[in-house]
Amino acid sequence: MDHHDDSGRRRLRGADRRILTALHARGGDPRVAAAARVLSRTGEHGALWLAAGLAGAAVDPGRRSAWLRGTALTAGAHLVSMGVKRVVRRPRPAHVAPRVPTLGRHSFPSSHAASAAAAAVAYGALGARATVPLAAAMCLSRLVVGVHYPSDVAAGAA
């Protein structure tokens, strides 16, 4: 590794910390903090997205199989991200106080972001337009509550 690569990584880590610190500060507003906590809780293990997919399958019998495929895609994205997290083992941010408890101590990638992005793609293709802004809000909530770096969220969404 050369010096240029090392300095680039340091700059990226610094930017990650600065962006997280700025977004975490938005949680100083009790309304923002409350909304971020709700999104974080409902996103645990992709619960919100899995429930939405199953509800779509129940109320749209003509496209039931498409909804169930989208639900399976969402669950699969979540499971893959959990596997990557166990390999990478990046610790959660320590320079901000978390506003929600976490089920695990590893940060990269964000499984909330993985399931949210998968749901936005799958259910958005079925016409559920609200999933895209809701998924974006879910991703941002992980920064506001201080449990992920921006790069964790970006990797999870990718």
Side-chain angles (χ1 to χ4, degrees), residues 1-157:
M1 173 188 335
D2 68 23
H3 175 69
H4 181 70
D5 290 342
D6 192 42
S7 67
R9 284 192 187 110
R10 278 195 307 270
R11 281 195 307 274
L12 179 59
R13 280 192 305 264
D16 236 6
R17 286 174 61 93
R18 286 188 304 276
I19 293 167
L20 172 58
T21 299
L23 290 171
H24 184 264
R26 296 292 302 145
D29 179 325
R31 295 166 300 182
V32 173
R37 282 188 196 101
V38 167
L39 285 167
S40 284
R41 285 186 194 117
T42 61
E44 284 296 340
H45 297 295
L48 172 68
W49 309 112
L50 299 176
L54 294 175
V59 301
D60 189 1
R63 296 186 300 169
R64 179 170 287 132
S65 63
W67 280 102
L68 293 175
R69 279 193 306 275
T71 304
L73 169 75
T74 301
H78 185 80
L79 290 172
V80 167
S81 72
M82 287 175 45
V84 172
K85 194 175 286 202
R86 282 165 176 68
V87 171
V88 174
R89 304 177 68 82
R90 181 183 193 185
R92 292 197 184 271
H95 72 285
V96 295
R99 291 190 167 99
V100 294
T102 58
L103 298 176
R105 63 179 190 249
H106 299 117
S107 179
F108 183 93
S110 166
S111 296
H112 278 70
S115 57
V121 170
Y123 307 154
L126 292 169
R129 289 180 182 82
T131 57
V132 174
L134 187 56
M138 176 78 66
C139 290
L140 284 173
S141 78
R142 302 307 281 167
L143 303 171
V144 171
V145 298
V147 297
H148 284 290
Y149 292 101
S151 59
D152 301 333
V153 172

